[in-house]
Amino acid sequence: MSDLTLARSARRARAFPRLACGFGALLVSLIAAGATAPASAASPKTAFPEQPGGMFGKPQKLDKGLPLYLQGDELIYDNAGNRVIARGNVEIYYNKNVLTADEVIYDRSSNTLTASGNVELKDVNGNIIRADSYTLTDDFRDGFVQSLSVVTRDDSRITAERGERREGNVTEFSEATFTACKSDGNVPPLWCIGARRIIHDQAAATISYQDAEMKILGVTVGYLPYFEHPDPSVKRKSGFLAPTYGNSNDLGVFVELPYYFALSPQYDFTFRPRYMSDQGVLWQGDWRHRLASGEYSVTFAAIDQDWRDLPSSANRNLDGWRGSLETHGRFSLSSWWSYGWNAIIESDDSFRRFYKLDSVLLTDRVNDIWLTGLSDRNYFSAKLYHFGGLLVEDNDETESLVHPVIDHSYVVRDPVLGGELSWKANALSLSRSDTRSPSAKDLYSQDMNRVVAEVRWRRRFTDAVGITYTPFGELRGDIYQINYEDPHDPAVAGLDDTFLRGLATGGATISYPWVANVGVTSHVIEPIGQIVAHNSSVHQDNLPNEDAQSLIFDDTNLFDTSKFSGYDRMETGTRANVGIQYTFQGPVGYARVLAGQSFHLSGENAYAENGRLFNPKSGLETDDSDYVLGVYLAPTDMFRIISQSRFDEDDLSLRREDVTGVFRYGPLSAAATYTYGQIYDYEDDYYRQGQEILTQASLRLTDRWTLSGSLRYDLDNERRLMDSISLAYLDECFMLSATYSETFIRDKDRDIEPDQVVMLRFEFKHLGGFNYQTNVVDFLGGEDATSVNQSIR
């Protein structure tokens, strides 16, 4: 045996060229085997943020051309034993991996490498691997580790009495445990999984467990003699997914056990039969397919219904097979063009809501196919729609088809007369064919075809004293073909006509901002005036109104040349819009207030049209409109408020109000929205003033516990529309939430009744979660709680 100094040995340490590489790679492959299970295709969103590369980070790409640096107290060449020994504070640095040990021995005869005594590896991803000893063959094909301990970059911990790799493919751990939780001293972690043997078959890409048990705070709560799942490198593999269990008043006790088919890297299928003690078996499945240019999905649900199991005995027509087919798709034709679809076809309009596939608060079924193109100055859209109503007065025949609606807009690149010239066009084809009146036996049709073209020009300039002028001009031409029979409205009954109409618009907007800077704050007062002149009248009396029924007059459209929401109604005559805007900007706070009024000066007032085609009390029905006020306040980062108000022009009484406030301070966050305005009651066929309030609040009790709740309340009828309360716990390795919610929606014809929901969800980091609930509706808090028989206009 001969001893050499460290400086000399560093030049001859070629016996260790892959030490850190093989040691780190093999250890990571060993401990990764039992660490995580792959996310399934149907798994919910995790409460823990996903880390790129998973728990251990991205796989290392080792550069074999880089040098290996070795240092230690001594380096010994044992020529008699044909060994090379590094001893005493051995440290090896290779490809940013650092290995330390008391001793490292390379046996040339057996081609094995052994590290012993306080072995520790810190890899490039931040994982720390410790062991008492480690033995590895020269080709790094086989090896074993004694007393393995791993702390991953996300503080997950893995221990095993022994880890062994054999046949270059199979890794086996003995008496192994895994947890993603931190623990102090002798206190056991919140949860951990232990197994007598964990075997990772790299060729089969599977991890199997023998005699596995789940422990909570050191107490065993579950045991499985054997189970298996794909290893973390596998993104998709066929097998059973986590089951779902629950209980519902209408469905009874139910259990859903999905099976995932990984048919190809491009497509897969999930079969999700749900057994319900009160309704039978609901057959469900999800097909997903990804192509080079996009992806699509198809979901089905079906049941052989016994009508006697339904809450209402009036639904005998629902006996037999019921079901739905849902499909979504999105594809790219080029960098500018894309197309897709969203469609749900169902046997009846209560199937999906009764079986909780949709929210009970859903009021419309909208299917569409679309094609869009978008460039810097050009936009094109073509859409085909199918509309079906789900409100109390709707039935299977009250639906409409749009085939299609086409929108195109273009902005000329170069200025024209010093201003911007743009083009806009719209084409619509709509039908309600073979529609049955609820009060009539005969079928009737409602068909409309329309083409609209607009040319707009506007220019903005400022004079020497700071007054801003924006003159504008618009030309519009329409072609209509209408065949409209509506037994509800004799004014349009039997209408069959083709006609042209046009509209010319001209005017200017003038503003004069006054700016005052006081210290670090700025104040801007800006009077704004606008004059808009249209044709004194156009042909629109007693014509159908399909896309301009929503008419809300507030500060956001005060200076629009037309305040209608669609093309079927035109603003006519001459109108003056005036207002004053105040803006405050400080180092902390911000405020903007806009108040104004609109005056009809001459010609016909299109907003004065009576009837049920749109809200006749919009605030524009008289020559002097109501006053509108918009207030946007952010005095601090903790508080914001947005208020949009409309006041009567005669007595300043409040006619409409939408106000939202958001407050955040420390652990408390809250938001409240108050709405007051015209509510259209479909059952009684009239508008009435109504008011509702929606509140949400969240309180962080500790750094791990959060209490939250929400309430939507009808102030007029003094009844709740929905409410919920939730208590959640979240730490570095475990999430638990318990939610109770109620809805008070009733539609007896569709078996929809007020409902109470209790949901319990918990999730273990890296392992997945489990849901329990007394009703499968778990999305009510995120839906619009509009009453079934009412809608806000």
Side-chain angles (χ1 to χ4, degrees), residues 96-145:
K96 298 182 180 180
N97 298 279
V98 179
L99 168 69
T100 58
D102 292 341
E103 183 179 72
V104 176
I105 301 175
Y106 176 56
D107 191 327
R108 295 175 177 175
S109 300
S110 61
N111 291 325
T112 59
L113 183 72
T114 302
S116 60
N118 300 310
V119 181
E120 180 178 284
L121 171 69
K122 295 181 180 179
D123 71 12
V124 67
N125 289 314
N127 303 303
I128 301 175
I129 306 167
R130 299 182 178 93
D132 286 349
S133 66
Y134 179 76
T135 300
L136 178 67
T137 59
D138 185 35
D139 57 3
F140 305 104
R141 185 172 181 269
D142 301 326
F144 64 89
V145 184

Side-chain angles (χ1 to χ4, degrees), residues 664-677:
R664 292 186 177 91
Y665 180 75
L668 176 65
S669 62
T673 299
Y674 169 79
T675 300
Y676 172 76

Side-chain angles (χ1 to χ4, degrees), residues 640-709:
R640 291 176 295 157
I641 188 169
I642 297 175
S643 174
Q644 294 176 309
S645 312
R646 180 161 57 84
F647 302 92
D648 187 273
E649 79 275 13
D650 294 326
D651 58 10
L652 295 180
S653 60
L654 184 65
R655 299 187 66 180
R656 182 177 179 86
E657 175 66 37
D658 291 290
V659 57
T660 298
V662 178
F663 176 78
R664 292 186 177 91
Y665 180 75
L668 176 65
S669 62
T673 299
Y674 169 79
T675 300
Y676 172 76
Q678 290 288 321
I679 296 180
Y680 181 70
D681 193 314
Y682 286 99
E683 290 185 334
D684 296 329
D685 193 19
Y686 80 106
Y687 282 94
R688 65 174 179 85
Q689 289 293 111
Q691 50 185 342
E692 293 181 0
I693 187 169
L694 172 65
T695 62
Q696 298 172 308
S698 175
L699 177 62
R700 194 173 182 87
L701 302 174
T702 68
D703 58 344
R704 296 182 175 182
W705 289 94
T706 303
L707 178 67
S708 59

Side-chain angles (χ1 to χ4, degrees), residues 18 69 164 174 211 217 231 261 268 354 417 450 726 760:
R18 294 184 295 171
Y69 298 97
E164 181 179 357
S174 300
D211 294 331
L217 295 175
D231 72 21
F261 295 88
D268 55 36
F354 180 78
L417 299 177
R450 180 193 71 198
S726 176
L760 177 66

Side-chain angles (χ1 to χ4, degrees), residues 349 352-365 390 743 745 752 777-785:
D349 62 8
R352 292 183 61 85
R353 290 184 291 169
F354 180 78
Y355 285 104
K356 313 306 187 277
L357 304 178
D358 284 335
S359 168
V360 296
L361 304 174
L362 189 67
T363 59
D364 295 283
R365 176 76 64 216
L390 302 177
T743 58
I745 309 299
I752 295 175
V777 182
D778 60 357
F779 41 73
L780 292 175
E783 295 288 334
D784 181 16

Side-chain angles (χ1 to χ4, degrees), residues 235-237 260-269 287-292 294-295:
K235 295 182 179 180
R236 306 160 65 253
K237 190 175 180 65
Y260 176 68
F261 295 88
L263 304 174
S264 159
Q266 290 78 37
Y267 52 84
D268 55 36
F269 177 71
W287 167 269
R288 304 185 307 169
H289 191 183
R290 176 169 292 180
L291 297 93
E295 60 184 346

